[in-house]
Amino acid sequence: MAEPTSGGPALTKARAQQRADQIGAFASELGELEREGALRLEPGDRARIDAYHARVLERLAGIFDVDSTERQRRMSLGMRIASLIGAVTLSAAVVLFFYRVWGLLATTAQLAVLTVAPVALLGAVDIAARREKTLYIASILAITATAAFILDVSVVGVIYNMRPSPFAFALWGAFALVVAYAYGLRLLLAGGIAMSMLFLCMIAARAAGVELGASIARPEPLLLAGALAFAASFLSANRRRAGFPETWRLAGSVAILLPLIFLSTWSGVFSYLPWPEGVVGAMYDVAGFVLGAAGIWFGIRAGWREVVQAATAFLVIFVFAKCFDWWWAWMPRYLFFLLLGGLAVAVLIVLGRLRSRQRRV
Amino acid sequence: MRRYGPWLAAALVVASNFAAWRVAALNRSGEPEAVLVLTERELRLPARQTENTALALWLVFEPPRQAGEGVREPGWFGRAKLESIGFDCSRPVTAEHAQYYRSRPPRSAYVALEYEGALWLKQMEQAPRKPQPPSSFTVPESAIQNGVARVAPRDPFLDSHLVAIDVDGNPAALRARHPDRRTVAIMEATVALQYVSNAGQPPFLRGRVTSVLPAAINVPREWRGVLEGLQSDVEPGTWPPPQREPRFRVTVTWGKRLEPWITNVELLAPKPAR
């Protein structure tokens, strides 16, 4: 029998896990077929298949540390949650420790510690990434390194009594993105995208003379940032990395859709546009329905599950928000809730149809 | 990317620290933009914190006070000034447009803060002879009712002598109007628009400087020892905090980028109660 090979397109962790899942499903179904008498392999054939699959799984586990049983999968989920908690708590520990001791240090020593901490943590990320295929520890250290860099830029600003600058967010976003791309870390990628988007909001706020703290309350720049994030998912640098296109698409979808809820409902409060509130609100009403529906439609066609889920969640919230906006003030309460109930049933029917269509796709 | 990514990230850390140091050096180079000698009234000393060993003094400034009791008018920071810093005040100032004005986001501008200047003197002359409780015009009524704002007599002389006297979108224009660098500091500020419904009288628009940037000035280690002995162990639970005679004097210098730093700290001899 031939030696197991990855075969087909370049093997990524996602594809390796998919293959491991296929093998598990195949073995399970083969057992059922044999039990029900629908198929009976020669004992030698069955043994050869089992041995071949065992070698494939061993190889995939050796390269990618894939989960080959349900128990392993549950443990992996637990490890992911633990690594997230670890990253948050370790970051808090680094920040709080610095605040506890920085008053005891001279300014030069403060600056040296602030500069060395993220660089040293980057070294630790590299060592962890070389030793561990799953990158759980590397991920914790990478998030802690990013927290140390955020602390660095913030505290240097405090030491020199600097005015807040949107460029801090650009630096933090760039750092998170560089580390995410270096080690293929999706959580850090999402953080880097979020900080870059906030930077765009702040730049727009500064250009408009609006205070930086109020920039997120003017979310129109996120529409552009979301479109850019969506376009970035098609870059070859992202397609080569497992989960990166999905993360960019999800970030792009959320950045485009979420602001529409606020812009359409309270356009006078949240929009930069100088036109009458009614016009701006109506424009974003149309955009909300069109983009929500388009997200679901394109997502199903292209097989982008994350886009379909984000667009569906958005459309449900958007429809209910608009109902409240249009009818709450003048409609009798019983009729309003009756209408919402009917709408919920309609949404269920539409989603059920979409689900069966998705299943066919 | 795996090979050069960590180096790129490390270079970003070093470069951003170097850039911050250069910007700070540029701010502090050449002739200072302003040098003011302030006291504890203008630089609030926070309570000691166990989780933070650093020390920063909070800059306290006064909004322009009203000329007399019951006078409700915008003062120098009215509609024209608001428009000059970019607020759109083109709609009529009526109850119908109150929501529009209330939803305007705060804007960035520059404020001139004058220490013991003409406006402060005028306010002192017009101040009531007896110390007054905080007015619901300057402190929200709900804060007084909830006990957050202290309804205790206050001596205006013990409040900050630093008064916001002007705002502009351009710091150079502001400096040209207020050239005394020993009494007037120019700082970046957050400015909010207030719609004052003004019961029984026509409503009006008023600007309010809500904060200056930076809001606190870091105390370098060499001066910290002087101030640490004066810190209390608990923050006052009310606003405004209790008044007291100033116990220290601080020389604050503002640089080219309008960013301040402390150049001297002196303890003041205790004064007998006024």
Side-chain angles (χ1 to χ4, degrees), chain A residues 225-252:
Chain A
L228 290 174
F230 214 93
S233 70
F234 298 105
L235 295 175
S236 63
N238 290 320
R239 280 183 298 182
R240 284 202 303 270
R241 290 173 171 82
F244 273 42
E246 290 86 343
T247 307
W248 278 102
R249 279 197 295 267
L250 182 63

PDB file of all heavy atoms in Angstrom, chain A residues 225-252:
ATOM      1  N   ALA A 225     -13.822  50.975   6.192  1.00  0.00           N
ATOM      2  CA  ALA A 225     -12.855  50.028   6.767  1.00  0.00           C
ATOM      3  C   ALA A 225     -13.335  48.596   6.567  1.00  0.00           C
ATOM      4  O   ALA A 225     -12.538  47.698   6.258  1.00  0.00           O
ATOM      5  CB  ALA A 225     -12.670  50.329   8.253  1.00  0.00           C
ATOM      6  N   GLY A 226     -14.642  48.380   6.732  1.00  0.00           N
ATOM      7  CA  GLY A 226     -15.197  47.042   6.543  1.00  0.00           C
ATOM      8  C   GLY A 226     -15.041  46.569   5.111  1.00  0.00           C
ATOM      9  O   GLY A 226     -14.682  45.411   4.857  1.00  0.00           O
ATOM     10  N   ALA A 227     -15.290  47.481   4.163  1.00  0.00           N
ATOM     11  CA  ALA A 227     -15.134  47.114   2.742  1.00  0.00           C
ATOM     12  C   ALA A 227     -13.677  46.757   2.453  1.00  0.00           C
ATOM     13  O   ALA A 227     -13.387  45.781   1.738  1.00  0.00           O
ATOM     14  CB  ALA A 227     -15.599  48.268   1.860  1.00  0.00           C
ATOM     15  N   LEU A 228     -12.756  47.530   3.012  1.00  0.00           N
ATOM     16  CA  LEU A 228     -11.324  47.240   2.811  1.00  0.00           C
ATOM     17  C   LEU A 228     -10.954  45.886   3.424  1.00  0.00           C
ATOM     18  O   LEU A 228     -10.200  45.109   2.835  1.00  0.00           O
ATOM     19  CB  LEU A 228     -10.461  48.342   3.440  1.00  0.00           C
ATOM     20  CG  LEU A 228     -10.486  49.704   2.743  1.00  0.00           C
ATOM     21  CD1 LEU A 228      -9.698  50.732   3.554  1.00  0.00           C
ATOM     22  CD2 LEU A 228      -9.915  49.605   1.333  1.00  0.00           C
ATOM     23  N   ALA A 229     -11.506  45.619   4.620  1.00  0.00           N
ATOM     24  CA  ALA A 229     -11.215  44.337   5.283  1.00  0.00           C
ATOM     25  C   ALA A 229     -11.748  43.181   4.442  1.00  0.00           C
ATOM     26  O   ALA A 229     -11.086  42.150   4.291  1.00  0.00           O
ATOM     27  CB  ALA A 229     -11.847  44.321   6.673  1.00  0.00           C
ATOM     28  N   PHE A 230     -12.928  43.383   3.890  1.00  0.00           N
ATOM     29  CA  PHE A 230     -13.509  42.341   3.051  1.00  0.00           C
ATOM     30  C   PHE A 230     -12.610  42.073   1.830  1.00  0.00           C
ATOM     31  O   PHE A 230     -12.333  40.932   1.482  1.00  0.00           O
ATOM     32  CB  PHE A 230     -14.901  42.769   2.597  1.00  0.00           C
ATOM     33  CG  PHE A 230     -15.845  41.620   2.483  1.00  0.00           C
ATOM     34  CD1 PHE A 230     -16.653  41.272   3.558  1.00  0.00           C
ATOM     35  CD2 PHE A 230     -15.900  40.869   1.335  1.00  0.00           C
ATOM     36  CE1 PHE A 230     -17.501  40.190   3.467  1.00  0.00           C
ATOM     37  CE2 PHE A 230     -16.743  39.791   1.237  1.00  0.00           C
ATOM     38  CZ  PHE A 230     -17.554  39.446   2.301  1.00  0.00           C
ATOM     39  N   ALA A 231     -12.150  43.180   1.219  1.00  0.00           N
ATOM     40  CA  ALA A 231     -11.277  43.034   0.035  1.00  0.00           C
ATOM     41  C   ALA A 231      -9.964  42.347   0.434  1.00  0.00           C
ATOM     42  O   ALA A 231      -9.427  41.535  -0.334  1.00  0.00           O
ATOM     43  CB  ALA A 231     -11.002  44.411  -0.563  1.00  0.00           C
ATOM     44  N   ALA A 232      -9.472  42.651   1.634  1.00  0.00           N
ATOM     45  CA  ALA A 232      -8.192  42.073   2.071  1.00  0.00           C
ATOM     46  C   ALA A 232      -8.266  40.555   2.206  1.00  0.00           C
ATOM     47  O   ALA A 232      -7.247  39.871   2.123  1.00  0.00           O
ATOM     48  CB  ALA A 232      -7.772  42.691   3.402  1.00  0.00           C
ATOM     49  N   SER A 233      -9.485  40.022   2.409  1.00  0.00           N
ATOM     50  CA  SER A 233      -9.595  38.567   2.579  1.00  0.00           C
ATOM     51  C   SER A 233      -9.184  37.816   1.314  1.00  0.00           C
ATOM     52  O   SER A 233      -8.881  36.630   1.363  1.00  0.00           O
ATOM     53  CB  SER A 233     -11.020  38.195   2.967  1.00  0.00           C
ATOM     54  OG  SER A 233     -11.893  38.398   1.873  1.00  0.00           O
ATOM     55  N   PHE A 234      -9.178  38.527   0.182  1.00  0.00           N
ATOM     56  CA  PHE A 234      -8.817  37.859  -1.081  1.00  0.00           C
ATOM     57  C   PHE A 234      -7.319  37.885  -1.361  1.00  0.00           C
ATOM     58  O   PHE A 234      -6.865  37.304  -2.344  1.00  0.00           O
ATOM     59  CB  PHE A 234      -9.566  38.513  -2.253  1.00  0.00           C
ATOM     60  CG  PHE A 234     -11.056  38.391  -2.121  1.00  0.00           C
ATOM     61  CD1 PHE A 234     -11.828  39.476  -1.746  1.00  0.00           C
ATOM     62  CD2 PHE A 234     -11.694  37.179  -2.340  1.00  0.00           C
ATOM     63  CE1 PHE A 234     -13.206  39.366  -1.596  1.00  0.00           C
ATOM     64  CE2 PHE A 234     -13.063  37.050  -2.193  1.00  0.00           C
ATOM     65  CZ  PHE A 234     -13.815  38.146  -1.819  1.00  0.00           C
ATOM     66  N   LEU A 235      -6.554  38.597  -0.547  1.00  0.00           N
ATOM     67  CA  LEU A 235      -5.103  38.662  -0.778  1.00  0.00           C
ATOM     68  C   LEU A 235      -4.487  37.282  -0.605  1.00  0.00           C
ATOM     69  O   LEU A 235      -4.901  36.506   0.253  1.00  0.00           O
ATOM     70  CB  LEU A 235      -4.458  39.642   0.219  1.00  0.00           C
ATOM     71  CG  LEU A 235      -4.855  41.115   0.083  1.00  0.00           C
ATOM     72  CD1 LEU A 235      -4.220  41.930   1.210  1.00  0.00           C
ATOM     73  CD2 LEU A 235      -4.413  41.662  -1.263  1.00  0.00           C
ATOM     74  N   SER A 236      -3.451  37.023  -1.402  1.00  0.00           N
ATOM     75  CA  SER A 236      -2.840  35.686  -1.344  1.00  0.00           C
ATOM     76  C   SER A 236      -2.191  35.435   0.015  1.00  0.00           C
ATOM     77  O   SER A 236      -2.156  34.304   0.494  1.00  0.00           O
ATOM     78  CB  SER A 236      -1.831  35.521  -2.476  1.00  0.00           C
ATOM     79  OG  SER A 236      -0.795  36.453  -2.298  1.00  0.00           O
ATOM     80  N   ALA A 237      -1.697  36.507   0.650  1.00  0.00           N
ATOM     81  CA  ALA A 237      -1.076  36.342   1.973  1.00  0.00           C
ATOM     82  C   ALA A 237      -2.089  35.790   2.975  1.00  0.00           C
ATOM     83  O   ALA A 237      -1.712  35.099   3.924  1.00  0.00           O
ATOM     84  CB  ALA A 237      -0.548  37.685   2.472  1.00  0.00           C
ATOM     85  N   ASN A 238      -3.359  36.085   2.782  1.00  0.00           N
ATOM     86  CA  ASN A 238      -4.385  35.572   3.692  1.00  0.00           C
ATOM     87  C   ASN A 238      -4.832  34.167   3.299  1.00  0.00           C
ATOM     88  O   ASN A 238      -5.109  33.343   4.163  1.00  0.00           O
ATOM     89  CB  ASN A 238      -5.592  36.517   3.705  1.00  0.00           C
ATOM     90  CG  ASN A 238      -5.259  37.817   4.398  1.00  0.00           C
ATOM     91  OD1 ASN A 238      -4.563  37.807   5.404  1.00  0.00           O
ATOM     92  ND2 ASN A 238      -5.703  38.921   3.850  1.00  0.00           N
ATOM     93  N   ARG A 239      -4.921  33.934   1.994  1.00  0.00           N
ATOM     94  CA  ARG A 239      -5.397  32.612   1.561  1.00  0.00           C
ATOM     95  C   ARG A 239      -4.431  31.498   1.961  1.00  0.00           C
ATOM     96  O   ARG A 239      -4.817  30.345   2.071  1.00  0.00           O
ATOM     97  CB  ARG A 239      -5.635  32.627   0.052  1.00  0.00           C
ATOM     98  CG  ARG A 239      -6.982  33.275  -0.270  1.00  0.00           C
ATOM     99  CD  ARG A 239      -7.280  33.245  -1.719  1.00  0.00           C
ATOM    100  NE  ARG A 239      -6.278  34.007  -2.473  1.00  0.00           N
ATOM    101  CZ  ARG A 239      -6.323  34.185  -3.770  1.00  0.00           C
ATOM    102  NH1 ARG A 239      -7.270  33.647  -4.472  1.00  0.00           N
ATOM    103  NH2 ARG A 239      -5.398  34.894  -4.388  1.00  0.00           N
ATOM    104  N   ARG A 240      -3.157  31.874   2.141  1.00  0.00           N
ATOM    105  CA  ARG A 240      -2.157  30.870   2.530  1.00  0.00           C
ATOM    106  C   ARG A 240      -2.278  30.479   4.001  1.00  0.00           C
ATOM    107  O   ARG A 240      -1.703  29.505   4.419  1.00  0.00           O
ATOM    108  CB  ARG A 240      -0.753  31.427   2.286  1.00  0.00           C
ATOM    109  CG  ARG A 240      -0.312  31.438   0.836  1.00  0.00           C
ATOM    110  CD  ARG A 240       1.198  31.489   0.754  1.00  0.00           C
ATOM    111  NE  ARG A 240       1.742  32.625   1.460  1.00  0.00           N
ATOM    112  CZ  ARG A 240       1.956  33.829   0.903  1.00  0.00           C
ATOM    113  NH1 ARG A 240       1.656  34.006  -0.369  1.00  0.00           N
ATOM    114  NH2 ARG A 240       2.464  34.822   1.578  1.00  0.00           N
ATOM    115  N   ARG A 241      -3.001  31.283   4.797  1.00  0.00           N
ATOM    116  CA  ARG A 241      -3.038  31.038   6.246  1.00  0.00           C
ATOM    117  C   ARG A 241      -4.420  30.558   6.672  1.00  0.00           C
ATOM    118  O   ARG A 241      -5.423  31.206   6.337  1.00  0.00           O
ATOM    119  CB  ARG A 241      -2.673  32.323   7.007  1.00  0.00           C
ATOM    120  CG  ARG A 241      -1.215  32.687   6.846  1.00  0.00           C
ATOM    121  CD  ARG A 241      -0.920  34.034   7.458  1.00  0.00           C
ATOM    122  NE  ARG A 241       0.515  34.272   7.480  1.00  0.00           N
ATOM    123  CZ  ARG A 241       1.215  34.724   6.443  1.00  0.00           C
ATOM    124  NH1 ARG A 241       0.605  34.990   5.301  1.00  0.00           N
ATOM    125  NH2 ARG A 241       2.517  34.910   6.547  1.00  0.00           N
ATOM    126  N   ALA A 242      -4.422  29.483   7.447  1.00  0.00           N
ATOM    127  CA  ALA A 242      -5.694  28.882   7.867  1.00  0.00           C
ATOM    128  C   ALA A 242      -6.503  29.865   8.699  1.00  0.00           C
ATOM    129  O   ALA A 242      -5.986  30.439   9.662  1.00  0.00           O
ATOM    130  CB  ALA A 242      -5.414  27.628   8.685  1.00  0.00           C
ATOM    131  N   GLY A 243      -7.758  30.082   8.309  1.00  0.00           N
ATOM    132  CA  GLY A 243      -8.674  30.914   9.096  1.00  0.00           C
ATOM    133  C   GLY A 243      -8.530  32.403   8.866  1.00  0.00           C
ATOM    134  O   GLY A 243      -9.371  33.174   9.339  1.00  0.00           O
ATOM    135  N   PHE A 244      -7.518  32.842   8.148  1.00  0.00           N
ATOM    136  CA  PHE A 244      -7.319  34.281   7.961  1.00  0.00           C
ATOM    137  C   PHE A 244      -8.385  34.907   7.048  1.00  0.00           C
ATOM    138  O   PHE A 244      -8.931  35.953   7.391  1.00  0.00           O
ATOM    139  CB  PHE A 244      -5.905  34.572   7.456  1.00  0.00           C
ATOM    140  CG  PHE A 244      -4.899  34.730   8.573  1.00  0.00           C
ATOM    141  CD1 PHE A 244      -4.929  33.878   9.667  1.00  0.00           C
ATOM    142  CD2 PHE A 244      -3.935  35.718   8.549  1.00  0.00           C
ATOM    143  CE1 PHE A 244      -4.021  34.010  10.713  1.00  0.00           C
ATOM    144  CE2 PHE A 244      -3.026  35.866   9.585  1.00  0.00           C
ATOM    145  CZ  PHE A 244      -3.071  35.014  10.663  1.00  0.00           C
ATOM    146  N   PRO A 245      -8.677  34.287   5.879  1.00  0.00           N
ATOM    147  CA  PRO A 245      -9.729  34.914   5.042  1.00  0.00           C
ATOM    148  C   PRO A 245     -11.059  35.011   5.788  1.00  0.00           C
ATOM    149  O   PRO A 245     -11.743  36.024   5.701  1.00  0.00           O
ATOM    150  CB  PRO A 245      -9.854  33.958   3.845  1.00  0.00           C
ATOM    151  CG  PRO A 245      -8.572  33.231   3.813  1.00  0.00           C
ATOM    152  CD  PRO A 245      -8.107  33.108   5.223  1.00  0.00           C
ATOM    153  N   GLU A 246     -11.389  33.966   6.577  1.00  0.00           N
ATOM    154  CA  GLU A 246     -12.657  33.983   7.326  1.00  0.00           C
ATOM    155  C   GLU A 246     -12.652  35.132   8.345  1.00  0.00           C
ATOM    156  O   GLU A 246     -13.656  35.824   8.520  1.00  0.00           O
ATOM    157  CB  GLU A 246     -12.855  32.649   8.066  1.00  0.00           C
ATOM    158  CG  GLU A 246     -13.141  31.461   7.150  1.00  0.00           C
ATOM    159  CD  GLU A 246     -11.881  30.791   6.622  1.00  0.00           C
ATOM    160  OE1 GLU A 246     -10.794  31.411   6.687  1.00  0.00           O
ATOM    161  OE2 GLU A 246     -11.984  29.656   6.134  1.00  0.00           O
ATOM    162  N   THR A 247     -11.499  35.306   9.022  1.00  0.00           N
ATOM    163  CA  THR A 247     -11.418  36.370  10.036  1.00  0.00           C
ATOM    164  C   THR A 247     -11.581  37.743   9.385  1.00  0.00           C
ATOM    165  O   THR A 247     -12.310  38.598   9.895  1.00  0.00           O
ATOM    166  CB  THR A 247     -10.062  36.288  10.770  1.00  0.00           C
ATOM    167  OG1 THR A 247      -9.894  34.953  11.258  1.00  0.00           O
ATOM    168  CG2 THR A 247      -9.990  37.264  11.928  1.00  0.00           C
ATOM    169  N   TRP A 248     -10.911  37.966   8.250  1.00  0.00           N
ATOM    170  CA  TRP A 248     -11.038  39.256   7.545  1.00  0.00           C
ATOM    171  C   TRP A 248     -12.479  39.477   7.092  1.00  0.00           C
ATOM    172  O   TRP A 248     -13.017  40.584   7.207  1.00  0.00           O
ATOM    173  CB  TRP A 248     -10.112  39.295   6.327  1.00  0.00           C
ATOM    174  CG  TRP A 248      -8.690  39.642   6.657  1.00  0.00           C
ATOM    175  CD1 TRP A 248      -7.639  38.790   6.751  1.00  0.00           C
ATOM    176  CD2 TRP A 248      -8.154  40.953   6.922  1.00  0.00           C
ATOM    177  NE1 TRP A 248      -6.485  39.471   7.071  1.00  0.00           N
ATOM    178  CE2 TRP A 248      -6.773  40.800   7.174  1.00  0.00           C
ATOM    179  CE3 TRP A 248      -8.706  42.222   6.983  1.00  0.00           C
ATOM    180  CZ2 TRP A 248      -5.947  41.876   7.474  1.00  0.00           C
ATOM    181  CZ3 TRP A 248      -7.880  43.300   7.278  1.00  0.00           C
ATOM    182  CH2 TRP A 248      -6.513  43.114   7.523  1.00  0.00           C
ATOM    183  N   ARG A 249     -13.091  38.408   6.548  1.00  0.00           N
ATOM    184  CA  ARG A 249     -14.472  38.567   6.052  1.00  0.00           C
ATOM    185  C   ARG A 249     -15.432  38.858   7.196  1.00  0.00           C
ATOM    186  O   ARG A 249     -16.306  39.708   7.081  1.00  0.00           O
ATOM    187  CB  ARG A 249     -14.914  37.292   5.310  1.00  0.00           C
ATOM    188  CG  ARG A 249     -14.411  37.202   3.881  1.00  0.00           C
ATOM    189  CD  ARG A 249     -15.195  36.177   3.095  1.00  0.00           C
ATOM    190  NE  ARG A 249     -14.996  34.849   3.594  1.00  0.00           N
ATOM    191  CZ  ARG A 249     -14.089  33.990   3.155  1.00  0.00           C
ATOM    192  NH1 ARG A 249     -13.277  34.341   2.176  1.00  0.00           N
ATOM    193  NH2 ARG A 249     -13.982  32.793   3.674  1.00  0.00           N
ATOM    194  N   LEU A 250     -15.239  38.148   8.323  1.00  0.00           N
ATOM    195  CA  LEU A 250     -16.122  38.375   9.469  1.00  0.00           C
ATOM    196  C   LEU A 250     -15.954  39.802   9.994  1.00  0.00           C
ATOM    197  O   LEU A 250     -16.943  40.511  10.242  1.00  0.00           O
ATOM    198  CB  LEU A 250     -15.819  37.360  10.581  1.00  0.00           C
ATOM    199  CG  LEU A 250     -16.705  37.450  11.817  1.00  0.00           C
ATOM    200  CD1 LEU A 250     -18.160  37.163  11.452  1.00  0.00           C
ATOM    201  CD2 LEU A 250     -16.251  36.461  12.894  1.00  0.00           C
ATOM    202  N   ALA A 251     -14.696  40.231  10.125  1.00  0.00           N
ATOM    203  CA  ALA A 251     -14.437  41.600  10.611  1.00  0.00           C
ATOM    204  C   ALA A 251     -15.047  42.612   9.647  1.00  0.00           C
ATOM    205  O   ALA A 251     -15.676  43.595  10.074  1.00  0.00           O
ATOM    206  CB  ALA A 251     -12.937  41.825  10.750  1.00  0.00           C
ATOM    207  N   GLY A 252     -14.885  42.358   8.347  1.00  0.00           N
ATOM    208  CA  GLY A 252     -15.432  43.261   7.332  1.00  0.00           C
ATOM    209  C   GLY A 252     -16.952  43.322   7.410  1.00  0.00           C
ATOM    210  O   GLY A 252     -17.549  44.412   7.396  1.00  0.00           O
TER     211      GLY A 252
END
